[in-house]
Short mmCIF file of all heavy atoms in Angstrom, two decimals:
data_model
loop_
_atom_site.label_atom_id
_atom_site.label_comp_id
_atom_site.label_asym_id
_atom_site.label_seq_id
_atom_site.Cartn_x
_atom_site.Cartn_y
_atom_site.Cartn_z
N GLU I 15 89.63 120.75 76.05
CA GLU I 15 89.68 121.27 74.68
C GLU I 15 90.30 120.26 73.72
O GLU I 15 89.81 120.07 72.60
CB GLU I 15 90.48 122.58 74.65
CG GLU I 15 89.74 123.76 75.25
CD GLU I 15 90.53 125.05 75.12
OE1 GLU I 15 91.69 125.00 74.62
OE2 GLU I 15 90.01 126.10 75.52
N VAL I 73 89.34 117.62 94.00
CA VAL I 73 88.93 116.73 95.09
C VAL I 73 89.42 115.31 94.82
O VAL I 73 89.87 114.60 95.73
CB VAL I 73 87.40 116.76 95.26
CG1 VAL I 73 86.93 115.62 96.16
CG2 VAL I 73 86.96 118.09 95.83
N GLN I 100 108.87 97.36 112.98
CA GLN I 100 109.34 97.04 111.63
C GLN I 100 109.84 95.61 111.54
O GLN I 100 109.56 94.90 110.57
CB GLN I 100 110.46 98.01 111.22
CG GLN I 100 110.91 97.82 109.79
CD GLN I 100 111.98 98.83 109.38
OE1 GLN I 100 112.69 98.62 108.39
NE2 GLN I 100 112.13 99.93 110.11
N ILE I 107 105.88 89.48 106.65
CA ILE I 107 106.08 89.54 105.20
C ILE I 107 106.88 88.33 104.71
O ILE I 107 106.53 87.69 103.72
CB ILE I 107 106.80 90.85 104.81
CG1 ILE I 107 105.88 92.04 105.06
CG2 ILE I 107 107.26 90.82 103.35
CD1 ILE I 107 106.55 93.40 104.88
N TRP I 141 97.60 109.41 112.92
CA TRP I 141 97.75 110.47 111.92
C TRP I 141 96.58 110.45 110.92
O TRP I 141 96.79 110.25 109.73
CB TRP I 141 99.07 110.33 111.17
CG TRP I 141 100.27 110.27 112.06
CD1 TRP I 141 101.03 109.18 112.36
CD2 TRP I 141 100.85 111.37 112.77
NE1 TRP I 141 102.06 109.52 113.22
CE2 TRP I 141 101.97 110.86 113.49
CE3 TRP I 141 100.56 112.73 112.87
CZ2 TRP I 141 102.78 111.67 114.29
CZ3 TRP I 141 101.35 113.53 113.67
CH2 TRP I 141 102.45 113.01 114.36
N ALA I 144 91.74 113.01 107.70
CA ALA I 144 90.55 113.85 107.92
C ALA I 144 90.55 114.24 109.39
O ALA I 144 90.09 113.48 110.24
CB ALA I 144 89.28 113.09 107.55
N MET I 233 102.42 98.54 98.85
CA MET I 233 103.64 99.34 98.80
C MET I 233 104.63 98.92 99.87
O MET I 233 105.82 98.69 99.61
CB MET I 233 103.28 100.84 98.97
CG MET I 233 104.45 101.78 98.92
SD MET I 233 104.00 103.44 99.51
CE MET I 233 102.46 103.72 98.64
N PHE I 235 104.64 96.15 101.65
CA PHE I 235 105.02 94.74 101.53
C PHE I 235 106.32 94.62 100.75
O PHE I 235 107.28 93.97 101.18
CB PHE I 235 103.90 93.95 100.84
CG PHE I 235 104.18 92.48 100.73
CD1 PHE I 235 103.67 91.60 101.67
CD2 PHE I 235 104.94 91.96 99.69
CE1 PHE I 235 103.92 90.24 101.58
CE2 PHE I 235 105.20 90.60 99.59
CZ PHE I 235 104.69 89.74 100.53
N LYS I 240 112.73 94.72 100.43
CA LYS I 240 114.02 95.13 99.85
C LYS I 240 114.83 96.06 100.75
O LYS I 240 116.06 96.11 100.63
CB LYS I 240 113.77 95.83 98.51
CG LYS I 240 113.01 95.00 97.49
CD LYS I 240 113.80 93.78 97.06
CE LYS I 240 113.05 93.01 95.96
NZ LYS I 240 113.81 91.81 95.54
N THR I 244 115.33 103.44 108.49
CA THR I 244 115.97 103.94 109.70
C THR I 244 115.90 105.45 109.73
O THR I 244 115.76 106.10 108.68
CB THR I 244 117.45 103.50 109.78
OG1 THR I 244 118.16 104.03 108.66
CG2 THR I 244 117.57 101.98 109.79
N ASP I 247 119.71 111.94 110.09
CA ASP I 247 120.04 113.12 110.89
C ASP I 247 118.95 114.18 110.81
O ASP I 247 118.84 115.02 111.70
CB ASP I 247 121.38 113.71 110.42
CG ASP I 247 122.55 112.78 110.67
OD1 ASP I 247 122.42 111.90 111.55
OD2 ASP I 247 123.58 112.90 109.97
N LYS I 273 117.99 101.51 103.71
CA LYS I 273 119.17 100.66 103.65
C LYS I 273 118.83 99.38 102.92
O LYS I 273 117.93 98.64 103.33
CB LYS I 273 119.65 100.33 105.08
CG LYS I 273 120.88 99.45 105.13
CD LYS I 273 121.28 99.15 106.57
CE LYS I 273 122.48 98.22 106.62
NZ LYS I 273 122.87 97.91 108.04
#
Side-chain angles (χ1 to χ4, degrees):
E15 287 184 357
V73 167
Q100 185 178 162
I107 292 173
W141 306 106
M233 180 193 314
F235 183 96
K240 303 295 184 181
T244 61
D247 294 338
K273 180 181 178 180

